[in-house]
Amino acid sequence: MTVYGSCDTRTSFTVSGEGRPECDWENKQAVDLGRHVVGSTIKQKIDCIILSQRRGNIRCSLAIKGSPDFQITPSGVVTLRSGECINVTVTYTPTSVGIQTAQIDINLPIECGIAFTQIQAEGVKPELTVRDVAMGNHRLATTATDSVPFVNNGVVDVDITAMELIDTAGTGITAVLPALPVRIAAGDTLAIPVAFRPWMRGSVVARLRATVRGIDTVLVATISGAGYQPVLEASGYTWAPVLVGSQSTEQGRVRLHNRDQAWPLTITYVALGSGTDFAWELALPT
């Protein structure tokens, strides 16, 4: 370009420019990843975080800032082709309770403006409780069944990563443990079947331990029961000699004793052997 002035003066300079196609795009403004247990890791794909409507390719870069609990893949320089999207996978590992936020910056060419997506998620502590089970008193060599309930009182699913039944030696207490890890949905209950088959008298206790992702302490349920076996003792009677074919006038008796000091004994039937010379004098007590 030349500029002419008075007195035959003139000057010139160069101007330049570059024509580029329009730079239309659409992107997601915000994404909520929901609630997740502290210490767990989730991966969530965000489809079409940005859609290019430009004629031609765009070189841009992806970066994330904010809470370090979030990571994205891919990151760095990517090529956004015309009419195509960029999909991003967000990895979220909550380290504390509460809402965390971050921003995915999509650095476009200067003529295309600024694009970004806000993401948020909440870290929560699981609320899992377990109840002790008292199996009660049971006769030796008989089996009683029950279940130990693990109740999820929280708002997120909970994973039990380890479970074991301990202190079982001589107790007769057994349990059917699930394949691990096992997930309990929010508001749901996991019942662990247990059985008690006592082999000795007296009270026994076993414990069911569970390790839960996101809970620092081990959950413990106590399973208790008692075995009993009444001790029956019988004493007979010896009559004085009598003539064959006659009946003794002595009042004989049979005594039954429960020698167990802790448990009652119920006698349901008493019988004399068949073909004997003896018979009950009075009706048996009930």
Side-chain angles (χ1 to χ4, degrees):
M1 178 178 288
T2 301
V3 179
Y4 294 91
S6 60
C7 300
D8 198 23
T9 58
R10 61 181 179 177
T11 184
S12 63
F13 57 90
T14 301
V15 293
S16 64
E18 180 183 356
R20 293 187 179 181
E22 71 282 356
C23 195
D24 293 335
W25 49 265
E26 297 177 3
N27 84 302
K28 291 186 176 179
Q29 298 295 313
V31 176
D32 190 341
L33 302 182
R35 293 167 167 165
H36 300 279
V37 173
V38 171
S40 64
T41 297
I42 65 105
K43 293 180 181 291
Q44 183 167 323
K45 183 180 179 182
I46 304 176
D47 291 323
C48 207
I49 193 172
I50 185 169
L51 167 65
S52 173
Q53 297 173 336
R54 184 180 190 178
R55 293 177 298 170
N57 298 338
I58 301 176
R59 285 177 61 82
C60 60
S61 65
L62 300 178
I64 188 169
K65 62 184 179 183
S67 171
D69 291 353
F70 299 95
Q71 300 294 327
I72 60 169
T73 304
S75 62
V77 177
V78 295
T79 298
L80 181 57
R81 294 177 173 81
S82 177
E84 293 186 359
C85 293
I86 294 178
N87 302 323
V88 173
T89 298
V90 179
T91 301
Y92 175 53
T93 305
T95 57
S96 60
V97 174
I99 295 176
Q100 301 293 326
T101 61
Q103 179 174 298
I104 302 174
D105 289 328
I106 309 167
N107 298 306
L108 301 168
I110 189 169
E111 71 275 9
C112 294
I114 300 173
F116 60 86
T117 299
Q118 297 281 352
I119 57 175
Q120 77 168 31
E122 183 178 358
V124 297
K125 280 288 188 181
E127 299 179 27
L128 191 68
T129 59
V130 63
R131 178 174 57 82
D132 295 337
V133 173
M135 305 292 287
N137 306 319
H138 297 279
R139 189 165 181 157
L140 301 189
T142 61
T143 301
T145 59
D146 206 329
S147 61
V148 178
F150 287 83
V151 182
N152 184 355
N153 300 302
V155 295
V156 293
D157 296 349
V158 174
D159 292 330
I160 296 179
T161 58
M163 184 179 293
E164 62 177 339
L165 185 65
I166 62 173
D167 302 332
T168 60
T171 64
I173 296 174
T174 58
V176 180
L177 303 183
L180 298 173
V182 60
R183 175 163 294 182
I184 307 175
D188 205 354
T189 298
L190 173 67
I192 304 300
V194 292
F196 176 44
R197 187 176 178 85
W199 296 103
M200 61 182 182
R201 293 183 177 87
S203 299
V204 294
V205 175
R207 293 172 179 83
L208 184 63
R209 294 163 43 97
T211 301
V212 182
R213 184 175 289 122
I215 296 181
D216 296 333
T217 58
V218 176
L219 297 183
V220 179
T222 298
I223 307 166
S224 60
Y228 72 92
Q229 182 69 56
V231 180
L232 175 63
E233 179 183 293
S235 59
Y237 185 83
T238 300
W239 280 265
V242 294
L243 294 174
V244 173
S246 61
Q247 180 174 323
S248 174
T249 59
E250 292 183 54
Q251 183 68 53
R253 61 189 177 274
V254 174
R255 295 185 182 275
L256 303 178
H257 302 272
N258 178 13
R259 297 305 185 188
D260 194 303
Q261 301 301 312
W263 308 104
L265 170 65
T266 300
I267 298 174
T268 58
Y269 184 66
V270 179
L272 294 171
S274 60
T276 68
D277 293 333
F278 302 94
W280 296 116
E281 181 69 18
L282 299 173
L284 295 177
T286 58

